[in-house]
Amino acid sequence: MSVFRIALIPIAVAQFLAPLLPNMGFGQSIGDRATAQGIPPELPLGLFFSIWGVIFTGYLTIAVLANLRPKYHFDHLAGPLALAGLGNVIWMISAQSLGFAWLDCLLLFPILFFAWEGAYRLDRMGGFDGTGKRLLLCLTIGLLAGWLSVAVSISLPEAVRDLLDRGATDRPWQSLWIVLGSALVLTMVFARYVSKSLWFFVAAGWGISGIVANNWLRTETHLLGIAAGLVGLLIIAQRLKMGVDGRDG
């Protein structure tokens, strides 16, 4: 366990550095690649990707605290966090340098698995217990698990288009429903079998809101935006049905 705990710090730093590689002449930014052939209906507005800054900052803070003051809960979560973070770095490098949609999609699944494993372990440890450290863990892991669920959903139509040699704006309804159906299923599975994390649903709702904004403000395909909004409401309704629990931070 101590190996994973020590690995958290360089992985946390690498997550901040990897997106800067295109500025150094290595590859192309993920945003530029995503819109190179047009704006797809499932792509959230750029503003909504700022959630990565919150996640990376929380991750780095956890890495520092875990090594300054080692505790059981840090060691228990270090494994899935380290593997999820390492996978994220590999994914960013692949997406920026190779640009194979099907490969980027496949790489997201093990990252999602480890993020969900971290959320599962945290839930079994009691979730939020009223302390600042536990709030940090709940926020970071919940946002990571939720946003990665959105990322996997977003990557699926792009992979399908790549395999079928379609353009970014071809058959937008099919692309959108692949995303929305996947996101709805993933949130249902997470809520039932992994955790009731509030922050997971915050991230998932944030991602769907980005899709709504994209279709309403950028592509002006308002019907697609309305469809995404309705699915977003269904996702929020799932969380509301669970009620409030002090452990669900």
PDB file of all heavy atoms in Angstrom, residues 200-233:
ATOM      1  N   PHE A 200     -20.751  12.461  -6.942  1.00  0.00           N
ATOM      2  CA  PHE A 200     -20.852  11.740  -8.216  1.00  0.00           C
ATOM      3  C   PHE A 200     -21.944  12.351  -9.070  1.00  0.00           C
ATOM      4  O   PHE A 200     -21.770  12.606 -10.271  1.00  0.00           O
ATOM      5  CB  PHE A 200     -21.143  10.255  -7.959  1.00  0.00           C
ATOM      6  CG  PHE A 200     -21.429   9.466  -9.211  1.00  0.00           C
ATOM      7  CD1 PHE A 200     -20.405   8.821  -9.881  1.00  0.00           C
ATOM      8  CD2 PHE A 200     -22.725   9.367  -9.715  1.00  0.00           C
ATOM      9  CE1 PHE A 200     -20.664   8.092 -11.035  1.00  0.00           C
ATOM     10  CE2 PHE A 200     -22.997   8.650 -10.862  1.00  0.00           C
ATOM     11  CZ  PHE A 200     -21.960   8.003 -11.526  1.00  0.00           C
ATOM     12  N   PHE A 201     -23.100  12.597  -8.463  1.00  0.00           N
ATOM     13  CA  PHE A 201     -24.233  13.134  -9.210  1.00  0.00           C
ATOM     14  C   PHE A 201     -24.036  14.604  -9.556  1.00  0.00           C
ATOM     15  O   PHE A 201     -24.555  15.079 -10.565  1.00  0.00           O
ATOM     16  CB  PHE A 201     -25.530  12.915  -8.427  1.00  0.00           C
ATOM     17  CG  PHE A 201     -25.988  11.484  -8.459  1.00  0.00           C
ATOM     18  CD1 PHE A 201     -25.568  10.582  -7.494  1.00  0.00           C
ATOM     19  CD2 PHE A 201     -26.811  11.034  -9.474  1.00  0.00           C
ATOM     20  CE1 PHE A 201     -25.972   9.266  -7.539  1.00  0.00           C
ATOM     21  CE2 PHE A 201     -27.226   9.716  -9.526  1.00  0.00           C
ATOM     22  CZ  PHE A 201     -26.810   8.826  -8.554  1.00  0.00           C
ATOM     23  N   VAL A 202     -23.269  15.322  -8.741  1.00  0.00           N
ATOM     24  CA  VAL A 202     -22.913  16.700  -9.092  1.00  0.00           C
ATOM     25  C   VAL A 202     -22.109  16.709 -10.393  1.00  0.00           C
ATOM     26  O   VAL A 202     -22.380  17.490 -11.313  1.00  0.00           O
ATOM     27  CB  VAL A 202     -22.113  17.360  -7.955  1.00  0.00           C
ATOM     28  CG1 VAL A 202     -21.507  18.689  -8.420  1.00  0.00           C
ATOM     29  CG2 VAL A 202     -23.007  17.598  -6.741  1.00  0.00           C
ATOM     30  N   ALA A 203     -21.114  15.830 -10.482  1.00  0.00           N
ATOM     31  CA  ALA A 203     -20.278  15.755 -11.683  1.00  0.00           C
ATOM     32  C   ALA A 203     -21.071  15.281 -12.894  1.00  0.00           C
ATOM     33  O   ALA A 203     -20.921  15.822 -13.999  1.00  0.00           O
ATOM     34  CB  ALA A 203     -19.089  14.825 -11.439  1.00  0.00           C
ATOM     35  N   ALA A 204     -21.915  14.258 -12.697  1.00  0.00           N
ATOM     36  CA  ALA A 204     -22.725  13.756 -13.808  1.00  0.00           C
ATOM     37  C   ALA A 204     -23.690  14.829 -14.300  1.00  0.00           C
ATOM     38  O   ALA A 204     -23.846  15.052 -15.510  1.00  0.00           O
ATOM     39  CB  ALA A 204     -23.488  12.506 -13.372  1.00  0.00           C
ATOM     40  N   GLY A 205     -24.336  15.525 -13.374  1.00  0.00           N
ATOM     41  CA  GLY A 205     -25.245  16.602 -13.750  1.00  0.00           C
ATOM     42  C   GLY A 205     -24.525  17.744 -14.445  1.00  0.00           C
ATOM     43  O   GLY A 205     -25.049  18.343 -15.392  1.00  0.00           O
ATOM     44  N   TRP A 206     -23.321  18.049 -13.970  1.00  0.00           N
ATOM     45  CA  TRP A 206     -22.505  19.092 -14.592  1.00  0.00           C
ATOM     46  C   TRP A 206     -22.179  18.721 -16.035  1.00  0.00           C
ATOM     47  O   TRP A 206     -22.254  19.559 -16.942  1.00  0.00           O
ATOM     48  CB  TRP A 206     -21.236  19.287 -13.782  1.00  0.00           C
ATOM     49  CG  TRP A 206     -20.274  20.314 -14.279  1.00  0.00           C
ATOM     50  CD1 TRP A 206     -19.072  20.084 -14.878  1.00  0.00           C
ATOM     51  CD2 TRP A 206     -20.400  21.743 -14.199  1.00  0.00           C
ATOM     52  NE1 TRP A 206     -18.440  21.256 -15.178  1.00  0.00           N
ATOM     53  CE2 TRP A 206     -19.237  22.298 -14.779  1.00  0.00           C
ATOM     54  CE3 TRP A 206     -21.383  22.598 -13.702  1.00  0.00           C
ATOM     55  CZ2 TRP A 206     -19.027  23.674 -14.873  1.00  0.00           C
ATOM     56  CZ3 TRP A 206     -21.178  23.975 -13.803  1.00  0.00           C
ATOM     57  CH2 TRP A 206     -20.016  24.502 -14.385  1.00  0.00           C
ATOM     58  N   GLY A 207     -21.822  17.468 -16.267  1.00  0.00           N
ATOM     59  CA  GLY A 207     -21.491  17.026 -17.616  1.00  0.00           C
ATOM     60  C   GLY A 207     -22.679  17.093 -18.558  1.00  0.00           C
ATOM     61  O   GLY A 207     -22.565  17.566 -19.695  1.00  0.00           O
ATOM     62  N   ILE A 208     -23.840  16.627 -18.095  1.00  0.00           N
ATOM     63  CA  ILE A 208     -25.049  16.680 -18.926  1.00  0.00           C
ATOM     64  C   ILE A 208     -25.440  18.129 -19.189  1.00  0.00           C
ATOM     65  O   ILE A 208     -25.885  18.480 -20.291  1.00  0.00           O
ATOM     66  CB  ILE A 208     -26.205  15.922 -18.259  1.00  0.00           C
ATOM     67  CG1 ILE A 208     -25.840  14.434 -18.096  1.00  0.00           C
ATOM     68  CG2 ILE A 208     -27.478  16.053 -19.087  1.00  0.00           C
ATOM     69  CD1 ILE A 208     -25.597  13.706 -19.396  1.00  0.00           C
ATOM     70  N   SER A 209     -25.266  19.004 -18.197  1.00  0.00           N
ATOM     71  CA  SER A 209     -25.541  20.429 -18.393  1.00  0.00           C
ATOM     72  C   SER A 209     -24.654  21.006 -19.493  1.00  0.00           C
ATOM     73  O   SER A 209     -25.087  21.862 -20.273  1.00  0.00           O
ATOM     74  CB  SER A 209     -25.316  21.200 -17.091  1.00  0.00           C
ATOM     75  OG  SER A 209     -26.202  20.767 -16.081  1.00  0.00           O
ATOM     76  N   GLY A 210     -23.409  20.530 -19.559  1.00  0.00           N
ATOM     77  CA  GLY A 210     -22.502  20.976 -20.618  1.00  0.00           C
ATOM     78  C   GLY A 210     -22.989  20.562 -21.992  1.00  0.00           C
ATOM     79  O   GLY A 210     -22.830  21.300 -22.978  1.00  0.00           O
ATOM     80  N   ILE A 211     -23.589  19.376 -22.081  1.00  0.00           N
ATOM     81  CA  ILE A 211     -24.150  18.907 -23.355  1.00  0.00           C
ATOM     82  C   ILE A 211     -25.365  19.746 -23.739  1.00  0.00           C
ATOM     83  O   ILE A 211     -25.549  20.112 -24.906  1.00  0.00           O
ATOM     84  CB  ILE A 211     -24.509  17.410 -23.263  1.00  0.00           C
ATOM     85  CG1 ILE A 211     -23.245  16.580 -23.035  1.00  0.00           C
ATOM     86  CG2 ILE A 211     -25.229  16.948 -24.526  1.00  0.00           C
ATOM     87  CD1 ILE A 211     -23.514  15.106 -22.783  1.00  0.00           C
ATOM     88  N   VAL A 212     -26.199  20.053 -22.750  1.00  0.00           N
ATOM     89  CA  VAL A 212     -27.353  20.926 -23.005  1.00  0.00           C
ATOM     90  C   VAL A 212     -26.874  22.280 -23.531  1.00  0.00           C
ATOM     91  O   VAL A 212     -27.397  22.798 -24.538  1.00  0.00           O
ATOM     92  CB  VAL A 212     -28.186  21.126 -21.714  1.00  0.00           C
ATOM     93  CG1 VAL A 212     -29.280  22.164 -21.946  1.00  0.00           C
ATOM     94  CG2 VAL A 212     -28.795  19.804 -21.267  1.00  0.00           C
ATOM     95  N   ALA A 213     -25.885  22.869 -22.866  1.00  0.00           N
ATOM     96  CA  ALA A 213     -25.367  24.178 -23.268  1.00  0.00           C
ATOM     97  C   ALA A 213     -24.773  24.131 -24.670  1.00  0.00           C
ATOM     98  O   ALA A 213     -24.950  25.067 -25.464  1.00  0.00           O
ATOM     99  CB  ALA A 213     -24.318  24.652 -22.259  1.00  0.00           C
ATOM    100  N   ASN A 214     -24.081  23.045 -24.990  1.00  0.00           N
ATOM    101  CA  ASN A 214     -23.487  22.894 -26.315  1.00  0.00           C
ATOM    102  C   ASN A 214     -24.551  22.927 -27.403  1.00  0.00           C
ATOM    103  O   ASN A 214     -24.422  23.622 -28.411  1.00  0.00           O
ATOM    104  CB  ASN A 214     -22.712  21.576 -26.383  1.00  0.00           C
ATOM    105  CG  ASN A 214     -22.161  21.295 -27.772  1.00  0.00           C
ATOM    106  OD1 ASN A 214     -21.359  22.059 -28.307  1.00  0.00           O
ATOM    107  ND2 ASN A 214     -22.601  20.201 -28.373  1.00  0.00           N
ATOM    108  N   ASN A 215     -25.632  22.180 -27.191  1.00  0.00           N
ATOM    109  CA  ASN A 215     -26.675  22.091 -28.209  1.00  0.00           C
ATOM    110  C   ASN A 215     -27.585  23.321 -28.229  1.00  0.00           C
ATOM    111  O   ASN A 215     -28.195  23.616 -29.257  1.00  0.00           O
ATOM    112  CB  ASN A 215     -27.501  20.823 -27.991  1.00  0.00           C
ATOM    113  CG  ASN A 215     -26.748  19.573 -28.396  1.00  0.00           C
ATOM    114  OD1 ASN A 215     -26.602  19.262 -29.559  1.00  0.00           O
ATOM    115  ND2 ASN A 215     -26.232  18.848 -27.405  1.00  0.00           N
ATOM    116  N   TRP A 216     -27.660  24.018 -27.117  1.00  0.00           N
ATOM    117  CA  TRP A 216     -28.537  25.184 -27.076  1.00  0.00           C
ATOM    118  C   TRP A 216     -27.813  26.451 -27.549  1.00  0.00           C
ATOM    119  O   TRP A 216     -28.368  27.254 -28.309  1.00  0.00           O
ATOM    120  CB  TRP A 216     -29.062  25.398 -25.656  1.00  0.00           C
ATOM    121  CG  TRP A 216     -30.249  26.312 -25.624  1.00  0.00           C
ATOM    122  CD1 TRP A 216     -30.259  27.662 -25.445  1.00  0.00           C
ATOM    123  CD2 TRP A 216     -31.621  25.930 -25.791  1.00  0.00           C
ATOM    124  NE1 TRP A 216     -31.532  28.152 -25.481  1.00  0.00           N
ATOM    125  CE2 TRP A 216     -32.398  27.100 -25.695  1.00  0.00           C
ATOM    126  CE3 TRP A 216     -32.262  24.708 -26.004  1.00  0.00           C
ATOM    127  CZ2 TRP A 216     -33.781  27.105 -25.809  1.00  0.00           C
ATOM    128  CZ3 TRP A 216     -33.641  24.701 -26.107  1.00  0.00           C
ATOM    129  CH2 TRP A 216     -34.387  25.880 -26.018  1.00  0.00           C
ATOM    130  N   LEU A 217     -26.553  26.601 -27.123  1.00  0.00           N
ATOM    131  CA  LEU A 217     -25.838  27.846 -27.380  1.00  0.00           C
ATOM    132  C   LEU A 217     -24.876  27.774 -28.563  1.00  0.00           C
ATOM    133  O   LEU A 217     -24.725  28.763 -29.293  1.00  0.00           O
ATOM    134  CB  LEU A 217     -25.049  28.252 -26.130  1.00  0.00           C
ATOM    135  CG  LEU A 217     -25.871  28.481 -24.859  1.00  0.00           C
ATOM    136  CD1 LEU A 217     -24.952  28.744 -23.680  1.00  0.00           C
ATOM    137  CD2 LEU A 217     -26.849  29.633 -25.054  1.00  0.00           C
ATOM    138  N   ARG A 218     -24.220  26.634 -28.745  1.00  0.00           N
ATOM    139  CA  ARG A 218     -23.166  26.575 -29.765  1.00  0.00           C
ATOM    140  C   ARG A 218     -23.669  26.018 -31.093  1.00  0.00           C
ATOM    141  O   ARG A 218     -23.470  26.630 -32.136  1.00  0.00           O
ATOM    142  CB  ARG A 218     -21.973  25.746 -29.240  1.00  0.00           C
ATOM    143  CG  ARG A 218     -20.784  25.741 -30.178  1.00  0.00           C
ATOM    144  CD  ARG A 218     -19.500  25.397 -29.460  1.00  0.00           C
ATOM    145  NE  ARG A 218     -19.517  24.084 -28.832  1.00  0.00           N
ATOM    146  CZ  ARG A 218     -18.445  23.531 -28.255  1.00  0.00           C
ATOM    147  NH1 ARG A 218     -17.294  24.196 -28.239  1.00  0.00           N
ATOM    148  NH2 ARG A 218     -18.519  22.354 -27.676  1.00  0.00           N
ATOM    149  N   THR A 219     -24.319  24.861 -31.079  1.00  0.00           N
ATOM    150  CA  THR A 219     -24.810  24.276 -32.328  1.00  0.00           C
ATOM    151  C   THR A 219     -26.239  24.705 -32.651  1.00  0.00           C
ATOM    152  O   THR A 219     -26.699  24.532 -33.780  1.00  0.00           O
ATOM    153  CB  THR A 219     -24.761  22.737 -32.270  1.00  0.00           C
ATOM    154  OG1 THR A 219     -25.681  22.274 -31.261  1.00  0.00           O
ATOM    155  CG2 THR A 219     -23.360  22.242 -31.923  1.00  0.00           C
ATOM    156  N   GLU A 220     -26.943  25.245 -31.645  1.00  0.00           N
ATOM    157  CA  GLU A 220     -28.328  25.710 -31.788  1.00  0.00           C
ATOM    158  C   GLU A 220     -29.269  24.604 -32.267  1.00  0.00           C
ATOM    159  O   GLU A 220     -30.251  24.863 -32.955  1.00  0.00           O
ATOM    160  CB  GLU A 220     -28.399  26.925 -32.721  1.00  0.00           C
ATOM    161  CG  GLU A 220     -27.641  28.130 -32.174  1.00  0.00           C
ATOM    162  CD  GLU A 220     -27.815  29.373 -33.022  1.00  0.00           C
ATOM    163  OE1 GLU A 220     -28.351  29.269 -34.140  1.00  0.00           O
ATOM    164  OE2 GLU A 220     -27.404  30.454 -32.558  1.00  0.00           O
ATOM    165  N   THR A 221     -28.968  23.380 -31.888  1.00  0.00           N
ATOM    166  CA  THR A 221     -29.876  22.253 -32.133  1.00  0.00           C
ATOM    167  C   THR A 221     -30.695  22.067 -30.856  1.00  0.00           C
ATOM    168  O   THR A 221     -30.388  21.220 -30.013  1.00  0.00           O
ATOM    169  CB  THR A 221     -29.077  20.980 -32.482  1.00  0.00           C
ATOM    170  OG1 THR A 221     -28.016  20.819 -31.529  1.00  0.00           O
ATOM    171  CG2 THR A 221     -28.473  21.081 -33.868  1.00  0.00           C
ATOM    172  N   HIS A 222     -31.724  22.885 -30.721  1.00  0.00           N
ATOM    173  CA  HIS A 222     -32.433  23.019 -29.457  1.00  0.00           C
ATOM    174  C   HIS A 222     -33.155  21.746 -29.026  1.00  0.00           C
ATOM    175  O   HIS A 222     -33.253  21.462 -27.831  1.00  0.00           O
ATOM    176  CB  HIS A 222     -33.414  24.189 -29.539  1.00  0.00           C
ATOM    177  CG  HIS A 222     -32.727  25.505 -29.700  1.00  0.00           C
ATOM    178  ND1 HIS A 222     -33.334  26.612 -30.263  1.00  0.00           N
ATOM    179  CD2 HIS A 222     -31.454  25.896 -29.391  1.00  0.00           C
ATOM    180  CE1 HIS A 222     -32.481  27.628 -30.275  1.00  0.00           C
ATOM    181  NE2 HIS A 222     -31.340  27.223 -29.758  1.00  0.00           N
ATOM    182  N   LEU A 223     -33.645  20.977 -29.977  1.00  0.00           N
ATOM    183  CA  LEU A 223     -34.335  19.742 -29.611  1.00  0.00           C
ATOM    184  C   LEU A 223     -33.379  18.753 -28.942  1.00  0.00           C
ATOM    185  O   LEU A 223     -33.760  18.060 -27.993  1.00  0.00           O
ATOM    186  CB  LEU A 223     -34.985  19.112 -30.843  1.00  0.00           C
ATOM    187  CG  LEU A 223     -36.244  19.803 -31.378  1.00  0.00           C
ATOM    188  CD1 LEU A 223     -36.747  19.110 -32.636  1.00  0.00           C
ATOM    189  CD2 LEU A 223     -37.343  19.829 -30.311  1.00  0.00           C
ATOM    190  N   LEU A 224     -32.151  18.706 -29.425  1.00  0.00           N
ATOM    191  CA  LEU A 224     -31.160  17.839 -28.790  1.00  0.00           C
ATOM    192  C   LEU A 224     -30.838  18.330 -27.385  1.00  0.00           C
ATOM    193  O   LEU A 224     -30.648  17.537 -26.462  1.00  0.00           O
ATOM    194  CB  LEU A 224     -29.888  17.764 -29.629  1.00  0.00           C
ATOM    195  CG  LEU A 224     -29.970  16.869 -30.877  1.00  0.00           C
ATOM    196  CD1 LEU A 224     -30.317  17.720 -32.095  1.00  0.00           C
ATOM    197  CD2 LEU A 224     -28.689  16.124 -31.117  1.00  0.00           C
ATOM    198  N   GLY A 225     -30.790  19.665 -27.236  1.00  0.00           N
ATOM    199  CA  GLY A 225     -30.545  20.226 -25.921  1.00  0.00           C
ATOM    200  C   GLY A 225     -31.659  19.902 -24.941  1.00  0.00           C
ATOM    201  O   GLY A 225     -31.406  19.582 -23.771  1.00  0.00           O
ATOM    202  N   ILE A 226     -32.902  19.947 -25.426  1.00  0.00           N
ATOM    203  CA  ILE A 226     -34.038  19.609 -24.566  1.00  0.00           C
ATOM    204  C   ILE A 226     -33.981  18.139 -24.162  1.00  0.00           C
ATOM    205  O   ILE A 226     -34.218  17.792 -22.993  1.00  0.00           O
ATOM    206  CB  ILE A 226     -35.360  19.921 -25.291  1.00  0.00           C
ATOM    207  CG1 ILE A 226     -35.517  21.442 -25.461  1.00  0.00           C
ATOM    208  CG2 ILE A 226     -36.542  19.345 -24.533  1.00  0.00           C
ATOM    209  CD1 ILE A 226     -36.665  21.844 -26.348  1.00  0.00           C
ATOM    210  N   ALA A 227     -33.655  17.265 -25.117  1.00  0.00           N
ATOM    211  CA  ALA A 227     -33.546  15.827 -24.815  1.00  0.00           C
ATOM    212  C   ALA A 227     -32.479  15.581 -23.755  1.00  0.00           C
ATOM    213  O   ALA A 227     -32.677  14.808 -22.810  1.00  0.00           O
ATOM    214  CB  ALA A 227     -33.225  15.049 -26.090  1.00  0.00           C
ATOM    215  N   ALA A 228     -31.338  16.247 -23.899  1.00  0.00           N
ATOM    216  CA  ALA A 228     -30.265  16.090 -22.908  1.00  0.00           C
ATOM    217  C   ALA A 228     -30.713  16.612 -21.546  1.00  0.00           C
ATOM    218  O   ALA A 228     -30.409  16.015 -20.504  1.00  0.00           O
ATOM    219  CB  ALA A 228     -29.014  16.833 -23.372  1.00  0.00           C
ATOM    220  N   GLY A 229     -31.448  17.722 -21.547  1.00  0.00           N
ATOM    221  CA  GLY A 229     -31.936  18.274 -20.290  1.00  0.00           C
ATOM    222  C   GLY A 229     -32.887  17.332 -19.576  1.00  0.00           C
ATOM    223  O   GLY A 229     -32.842  17.192 -18.346  1.00  0.00           O
ATOM    224  N   LEU A 230     -33.757  16.671 -20.332  1.00  0.00           N
ATOM    225  CA  LEU A 230     -34.705  15.730 -19.731  1.00  0.00           C
ATOM    226  C   LEU A 230     -33.973  14.542 -19.103  1.00  0.00           C
ATOM    227  O   LEU A 230     -34.327  14.093 -18.005  1.00  0.00           O
ATOM    228  CB  LEU A 230     -35.698  15.243 -20.782  1.00  0.00           C
ATOM    229  CG  LEU A 230     -36.701  16.298 -21.284  1.00  0.00           C
ATOM    230  CD1 LEU A 230     -37.531  15.744 -22.428  1.00  0.00           C
ATOM    231  CD2 LEU A 230     -37.604  16.763 -20.144  1.00  0.00           C
ATOM    232  N   VAL A 231     -32.945  14.046 -19.787  1.00  0.00           N
ATOM    233  CA  VAL A 231     -32.167  12.934 -19.215  1.00  0.00           C
ATOM    234  C   VAL A 231     -31.411  13.416 -17.979  1.00  0.00           C
ATOM    235  O   VAL A 231     -31.290  12.685 -16.987  1.00  0.00           O
ATOM    236  CB  VAL A 231     -31.199  12.352 -20.264  1.00  0.00           C
ATOM    237  CG1 VAL A 231     -30.240  11.346 -19.624  1.00  0.00           C
ATOM    238  CG2 VAL A 231     -31.980  11.675 -21.380  1.00  0.00           C
ATOM    239  N   GLY A 232     -30.923  14.650 -18.024  1.00  0.00           N
ATOM    240  CA  GLY A 232     -30.270  15.209 -16.846  1.00  0.00           C
ATOM    241  C   GLY A 232     -31.201  15.258 -15.652  1.00  0.00           C
ATOM    242  O   GLY A 232     -30.800  14.953 -14.521  1.00  0.00           O
ATOM    243  N   LEU A 233     -32.450  15.607 -15.883  1.00  0.00           N
ATOM    244  CA  LEU A 233     -33.437  15.628 -14.804  1.00  0.00           C
ATOM    245  C   LEU A 233     -33.686  14.222 -14.263  1.00  0.00           C
ATOM    246  O   LEU A 233     -33.882  14.037 -13.052  1.00  0.00           O
ATOM    247  CB  LEU A 233     -34.746  16.244 -15.301  1.00  0.00           C
ATOM    248  CG  LEU A 233     -34.704  17.752 -15.595  1.00  0.00           C
ATOM    249  CD1 LEU A 233     -36.027  18.211 -16.186  1.00  0.00           C
ATOM    250  CD2 LEU A 233     -34.378  18.542 -14.329  1.00  0.00           C
TER     251      LEU A 233
END
